[in-house]
Amino acid sequence: MASRADNIASNLSLANFSKATELKNRIWFTIGALIVFRFLSFVPLPGVNPMILSQLYAQTRGGILDLFNTFSGGSLERMSLIALGVMPYITASIVVQMAASLHPALAALKKEGATGRQKLNQYTRYGTVFLCAIQGWFLATGLESYGAQSGMQAVIDPGLLFRVVAVISLIGGTMFLLWLGEQITSRGIGNGVSLIIMAGIVAQFPNFTSNMFASYSKGTISSFLIIGFIAMIVGLVLFICYMERAQRRLLIQYPKRATQRGMMQADRSHLPLKLNTSGVIPPIFASSLLLLPLTISQFAQNSIAIDSTGGQILQTLNQYLQHGQPLYMLLYAIGIIFFCFFYTAVVFNPEETADNLKKNGGFIPGIRPGKRTSEYLDYVLTRITVVGAVYLTVVCCLPEYVIAQTGIPLFLGGTSLLIVVNVTVDTISQIQSHLLAHQYGDLIKKAKLKGRMR
């Protein structure tokens, strides 16, 4: 039988939304913060010529810069103050999370509760500043030589002063985005950093739509192809929603305890194991590693002679690692599967989970507590990770195959689509939780009122 909470959740309606004043304020705050983020993406770095930069960027498309540019909402293409986006923070948080699982001192710090998490967050911010400084310096140095061979200079006045100003500006832009994301998380709705990444991806949708219909008017693509695109995206969205909410629920039983009436009752619970424990990290890592050689070769092709051995190697590398090529697809799939198992092993520790269950008196029926429970959890997690890895591989490789066959770039690649759907589902779940809490508040007020009338 469904519980009272399930009945209320199933009867949620938009009529209750108008009464939830706090929820409306949170949504308006989130929208305002995202508007500020979009405004900042159009503020260029001091000393950069945006017109020449856009022409030079068009010559180096297809590399890792496209991936970062998509996540930053076009900020990297315009070389704005937030050109680095929140990717340095994502990288630093992943590194700290992995280090906390491998290093004993950080692992002990992770178990200290709120104080330990605060210390790890502080380390993550230090790592973000460090990565921003390194990436900003190389970005400023690359901008100075960017297009020098073709006679176009993206930087108006190259030199040490420009590099220092660019590094400080990029660090300030990224840290401001982190602060803005924290404000969205605390005062708005949803996860702030995730919403900023999603807003950057969705911002590319109007350009993609206009380009697609412009190609249709010129006769480059057919109406059947457009319908196929829409059907594929809708199907992938539904498939991602289904798979992301899929769980393997392990039954956890606790010893019998005496109740107030003197009866012995055994508590039961469930340990939910997500089918996709690693999230969107495997596609990001795999695509970044594959696109890195292509990006380096694009920047180095002007300084290396084509007839030389190095130039021939770069040309061959670019040819085989292009989007949709069989070697690229194979390495991409292998990278996704590898990082699925690797990151799942980092995030979920079966031994720690088994020890926590043993300390609390819980056990899986038919499995001995301790080592046997740890082995069983590892066995189950390995099996569901296989399914999750196949799911991520299909979702990420299918758009790449369509791009290669049709020649029309989709702004929603597999990684971008995963991020958009996951963040949207998480935000909607939080909105439903606020509405559910609001309805419970109304029930409590009515119950108190009836009690006073009696």
Side-chain angles (χ1 to χ4, degrees):
M1 181 180 292
S3 63
R4 179 65 176 172
D6 294 332
N7 292 331
I8 295 178
S10 61
N11 294 325
L12 289 175
S13 62
L14 294 178
N16 300 319
F17 180 78
S18 59
K19 302 177 184 178
T21 306
E22 181 186 358
L23 178 59
K24 288 192 296 183
N25 293 335
R26 285 179 173 271
I27 293 177
W28 281 116
F29 181 85
T30 303
I31 295 174
L34 295 179
I35 291 175
V36 172
F37 159 69
R38 290 302 301 156
F39 280 149
L40 281 176
S41 65
F42 290 92
V43 180
L45 282 175
V48 175
N49 191 331
M51 302 299 294
I52 296 180
L53 186 65
S54 61
Q55 299 176 12
L56 293 173
Y57 186 84
Q59 301 175 3
T60 57
R61 289 188 179 275
I64 195 173
L65 296 181
D66 275 354
L67 180 67
F68 293 156
N69 184 59
T70 302
F71 291 161
S72 63
S75 301
L76 185 61
E77 180 181 359
R78 294 182 288 269
M79 202 55 63
S80 68
L81 294 176
I82 55 173
L84 297 179
V86 294
M87 291 304 293
Y89 172 75
I90 300 297
T91 305
S93 62
I94 292 173
V95 171
V96 171
Q97 192 173 11
M98 289 183 177
S101 302
L102 301 176
H103 197 273
L106 293 178
L109 193 63
K110 185 179 179 180
K111 298 178 181 179
E112 291 182 2
T115 305
R117 286 195 300 269
Q118 185 177 2
K119 199 69 175 177
L120 290 177
N121 290 335
Q122 187 176 0
Y123 292 155
T124 303
R125 288 179 176 84
Y126 289 153
T128 303
V129 174
F130 177 72
L131 289 177
C132 283
I134 295 178
Q135 293 179 11
W137 180 266
F138 281 104
L139 192 61
T141 306
L143 279 175
E144 291 181 345
S145 59
Y146 198 25
Q149 299 292 333
S150 57
M152 294 187 296
Q153 186 67 44
V155 180
I156 299 175
D157 188 15
L160 180 62
L161 181 61
F162 166 74
R163 299 178 187 179
V164 173
V165 171
V167 169
I168 295 175
S169 301
L170 291 172
I171 292 175
T174 299
M175 298 311 292
F176 178 79
L177 284 185
L178 292 185
W179 176 83
L180 194 65
E182 291 177 354
Q183 296 302 312
I184 293 175
T185 304
S186 59
R187 300 184 181 182
I189 195 77
N191 184 279
V193 175
S194 301
L195 281 173
I196 287 175
I197 297 177
M198 188 194 75
I201 296 173
V202 175
Q204 307 296 321
F205 180 74
N207 293 331
F208 164 75
T209 306
S210 61
N211 293 334
M212 185 173 64
F213 283 104
S215 302
Y216 171 73
S217 61
K218 295 177 182 178
T220 308
I221 60 175
S222 62
S223 58
F224 177 76
L225 199 57
I226 295 178
I227 295 175
F229 280 157
I230 297 175
M232 184 192 71
I233 292 176
V234 172
L236 285 177
V237 168
L238 295 176
F239 182 58
I240 292 172
C241 291
Y242 177 79
M243 297 298 288
E244 288 296 328
R245 297 180 69 88
Q247 295 178 348
R248 171 68 188 274
R249 304 179 69 186
L250 297 179
L251 178 63
I252 305 297
Q253 191 167 347
Y254 293 91
K256 293 183 178 181
R257 300 174 183 176
T259 60
Q260 294 180 350
R261 298 180 179 179
M263 299 176 59
M264 302 298 290
Q265 184 178 1
D267 295 333
R268 289 188 176 185
S269 180
H270 291 89
L271 177 64
L273 298 178
K274 286 191 63 177
L275 194 66
N276 180 25
T277 309
S278 56
V280 297
I281 300 301
I284 293 177
F285 273 24
S287 56
S288 300
L289 289 178
L290 280 178
L291 293 176
L292 187 59
L294 182 61
T295 305
I296 295 175
S297 63
Q298 287 175 345
F299 278 102
Q301 63 185 356
N302 293 327
S303 58
I304 299 178
I306 301 178
D307 298 334
S308 63
T309 305
Q312 294 178 357
I313 293 176
L314 287 179
Q315 284 186 344
T316 307
L317 189 65
N318 290 342
Q319 181 180 358
Y320 285 103
L321 290 182
Q322 289 290 339
H323 284 282
Q325 294 297 324
L327 180 60
Y328 175 85
M329 300 284 287
L330 178 62
L331 294 178
Y332 191 33
I334 293 175
I336 291 175
I337 294 173
F338 170 76
F339 284 114
C340 272
F341 283 93
F342 177 77
Y343 195 70
T344 300
V346 171
V347 172
F348 188 87
N349 190 349
E351 295 181 0
E352 183 179 352
T353 305
D355 291 338
N356 292 333
L357 288 175
K358 187 176 181 180
K359 291 178 182 177
N360 295 323
F363 62 94
I364 300 175
I367 307 296
R368 287 185 178 181
K371 184 178 179 181
R372 292 292 299 169
T373 301
S374 174
E375 293 175 353
Y376 179 75
L377 290 175
D378 183 67
Y379 169 74
V380 174
L381 191 65
T382 302
R383 293 180 66 187
I384 64 175
T385 304
V386 171
V387 181
V390 173
Y391 143 69
L392 284 180
T393 304
V394 171
V395 169
C396 294
C397 290
L398 183 59
E400 296 289 342
Y401 178 77
V402 172
I403 292 172
Q405 295 299 318
T406 60
I408 300 176
L410 293 175
F411 90 103
L412 278 180
T415 307
S416 303
L417 199 61
L418 281 170
I419 294 175
V420 171
V421 174
N422 280 334
V423 175
T424 303
V425 170
D426 180 63
T427 305
I428 292 176
S429 300
Q430 291 197 24
I431 292 176
Q432 290 179 345
S433 299
H434 279 278
L435 290 175
L436 186 62
H438 180 74
Q439 291 190 9
Y440 267 123
D442 291 343
L443 289 175
I444 293 174
K445 291 180 181 179
K446 292 179 181 179
K448 288 183 178 180
L449 185 60
K450 290 180 180 179
R452 290 175 182 174
M453 291 177 63
R454 290 178 183 176

